Amino acid sequence: MTEYAVRMRKITKRFGALIANDHISLDLRWGSIHGLLGENGAGKTTLMNILYGLYHPDQGEIEVDGHPVRIDSPLQAMELDIGMVHQHFMLVRPFTVTENIVLGLPSARRPFLDLKAATRRIEELSAKYQLKIDPSARIWQLSVGEAQRVEILKNIYLDTRILILDEPTTVLTPQEIRELFEIMRLMKADGKSIILITHKLEEILAVTDEISVLRAGKLVGNTPTDRTTRNELTRMMVGRNVLFDFSRKRTRPGRAVLKARRVSALGDKGLPALREVSFEVRKGEILGVAGVAGNGQKELCQVLSGLRPVTSGRVFLGERDFTNRPPKEFIDNQMAYIPEDRQETGLVMEAGLTKNFIIKNFDRRPFSRRGFLNGPAVKKNAGQLIEEFNIKTVSGQARAKELSGGNQQKVVLAREISSKPKILIANQPTHGLDVGATEYVRQCLLDQRGEGVGVLLISADLDEIFQLSDRIAVIFKGEIMDIIDRPDAQLELVGRLMAGSREEGAA
């Protein structure tokens, strides 16, 4: 075994006129954790997709354990003991967890699958690493966080020696993040190597040995972790200082603009997902909802936007009862919604930006005139939003799928905020975004609060919840454990509530 698990030399990858990777070199040592930083669109995922065999470089060379290799497919990567957990998951949605994990693997009972043995092994690994995954659940029934755990579990099952993790902690509690880091350290102690992509600088500083920073497709720096700081890394990433502490104007919240009264609902499996949830969001405040993914957050957002029926309880916009009304009525009454999965729910990926911007109000003036789209107004709207929200795209005709994750999120944000809402529901609004895009989205939410909008912020990122919220509601297994004023909220208390442990005397 050589010193290096992977050596990538002068890797270049072009997509038409766009140079995604420009002569990038990266070394990954055996038994180390290497951090990879950069803004969305910097070329991180492209570089790792090349290592994983999804793309082939136009120029450059790759060595694995000292041997020159050409990796033309993920299957070849797996044969070289390279695994990858993608930011946007590579799972077959109609299949079960077990079926996804064994997909493409040889069976001891060939030509038959031994799903029982695989299920037992998956249950053992799930229990060992506290991943809490039901092997019989189908992927479409899982939350984003649970699907991410399936990806991690699959690579643990495969016992990969070189593992690429793309934003693996965005849906975990502080305790679970510590557990994941411990798993990574154990893998490192066993001589395995990990490349970690994350926008959370505290995490990359806590667990990595070395850090490489990309900007605009180029490698701008490489440093041992113990010789750098948070501010130095952000300057390398975005070329400027990034605001981590937001200035919050004091506001006096107004009347309630959104109310849930003892709301219950079923999940996709037909089991209770929400249990008598009650709260209110007031004008000019941010109510943060903290919780581990899969505890009813998705169902709560869908109930409050008309996408899922309520089995009992009531939903009010202001004083008007909107229980089980269709989504169009919520939209027409100035509710905006940023869903947790921008690609599945937030955007039409094959459509251009101009159409994505008007998809919720194409039938209104100025976009509609006598039953036909007003082309000049639609084009003008797209140009204004692209400029106002600094969306990096070649034109408004570009398809949503051609944008980076951060710019896709800006398209959703631009559409929802430009509708002049009274209520904004934001579910995991910075999931998978880099520090620059995260700063931008968080400031937009604070600006909406300052303009009198009632904001319901659902996030698994406790830093985000604590930075932005006026009050914090904690959800566990579909139940609101407590609602705490931000000055009274302590990280340890919120963490315990997220795990289902109530403080004595909690409401």
Side-chain angles (χ1 to χ4, degrees), residues 352-371:
L353 302 190
T354 53
K355 292 181 179 178
N356 272 287
F357 284 134
I358 66 165
I359 202 165
K360 293 173 71 173
N361 55 5
F362 65 91
D363 56 339
R364 301 183 200 164
R365 289 181 177 274
F367 309 124
S368 178
R369 187 169 56 190
R370 297 177 182 176

Side-chain angles (χ1 to χ4, degrees), residues 84-95:
M84 183 171 183
V85 177
H86 299 266
Q87 180 179 337
H88 302 295
F89 312 130
M90 304 295 181
L91 299 170
V92 183
R93 291 173 63 79
F95 284 14

Side-chain angles (χ1 to χ4, degrees), residues 443-495:
Q443 189 60 57
C444 281
L445 295 179
L446 284 174
D447 291 344
Q448 289 297 292
R449 166 188 178 268
E451 293 178 14
V453 177
V455 180
L456 181 67
L457 169 64
I458 295 92
S459 179
D461 186 334
L462 284 185
D463 286 341
E464 186 163 87
I465 289 288
F466 274 74
Q467 278 183 347
L468 304 184
S469 302
D470 298 291
R471 293 182 298 139
I472 299 173
V474 183
I475 192 168
F476 175 74
K477 291 187 176 179
E479 181 182 354
I480 298 296
M481 302 293 288
D482 199 2
I483 300 177
I484 312 164
D485 288 334
R486 172 62 186 87
D488 300 327
Q490 301 297 322
L491 183 62
E492 194 63 31
L493 167 61
V494 173

Side-chain angles (χ1 to χ4, degrees), residues 82-227:
I82 300 171
M84 183 171 183
V85 177
H86 299 266
Q87 180 179 337
H88 302 295
F89 312 130
M90 304 295 181
L91 299 170
V92 183
R93 291 173 63 79
F95 284 14
T96 67
V97 171
T98 297
E99 289 166 347
N100 268 276
I101 289 176
V102 303
L103 186 63
L105 300 181
S107 170
R109 294 181 57 198
R110 280 185 292 184
F112 304 103
L113 290 174
D114 193 351
L115 292 179
K116 288 185 178 179
T119 296
R120 286 195 298 271
R121 179 62 176 155
I122 289 166
E123 287 173 339
E124 291 171 2
L125 292 172
S126 182
K128 179 179 179 181
Y129 296 111
Q130 300 183 13
L131 291 166
K132 301 175 185 176
I133 293 294
D134 176 7
S136 65
R138 298 190 182 276
I139 299 303
W140 66 267
Q141 296 173 318
L142 303 180
S143 68
V144 173
E146 289 168 325
Q148 187 179 60
R149 292 177 221 165
V150 174
E151 290 273 24
I152 293 171
L153 183 58
K154 180 170 184 174
N155 280 279
I156 293 173
Y157 186 93
L158 292 171
D159 193 26
T160 56
R161 299 168 66 206
I162 300 165
L163 181 60
I164 304 162
L165 295 175
D166 193 353
E167 303 286 356
T169 67
T170 54
V171 289
L172 304 180
T173 67
Q175 295 91 332
E176 289 171 324
I177 291 170
R178 288 195 292 269
E179 290 166 4
L180 174 63
F181 286 176
E182 188 57 36
I183 293 166
M184 292 168 63
R185 292 184 182 105
L186 289 171
M187 294 175 69
K188 170 184 165 181
D190 288 339
K192 298 180 181 181
S193 302
I194 299 169
I195 296 177
L196 173 66
I197 304 172
T198 178
H199 68 280
K200 298 181 180 179
L201 295 176
E202 295 86 352
E203 295 177 2
I204 215 161
L205 287 167
V207 77
T208 64
D209 302 294
E210 192 172 355
I211 301 168
S212 294
V213 182
L214 304 186
R215 187 167 78 227
K218 296 183 178 181
L219 179 69
V220 295
N222 176 272
T223 177
T225 304
D226 59 6
R227 296 183 188 175

Side-chain angles (χ1 to χ4, degrees), residues 41 46 62 74 157 166 227 231 255 285 301 332 414 417-418 441 443 445 492:
T46 299
I62 301 174
Y157 186 93
D166 193 353
R227 296 183 188 175
N231 288 334
R255 60 181 177 82
E285 78 161 350
C301 292
D332 289 343
I417 288 177
S418 66
V441 172
Q443 189 60 57
L445 295 179
E492 194 63 31

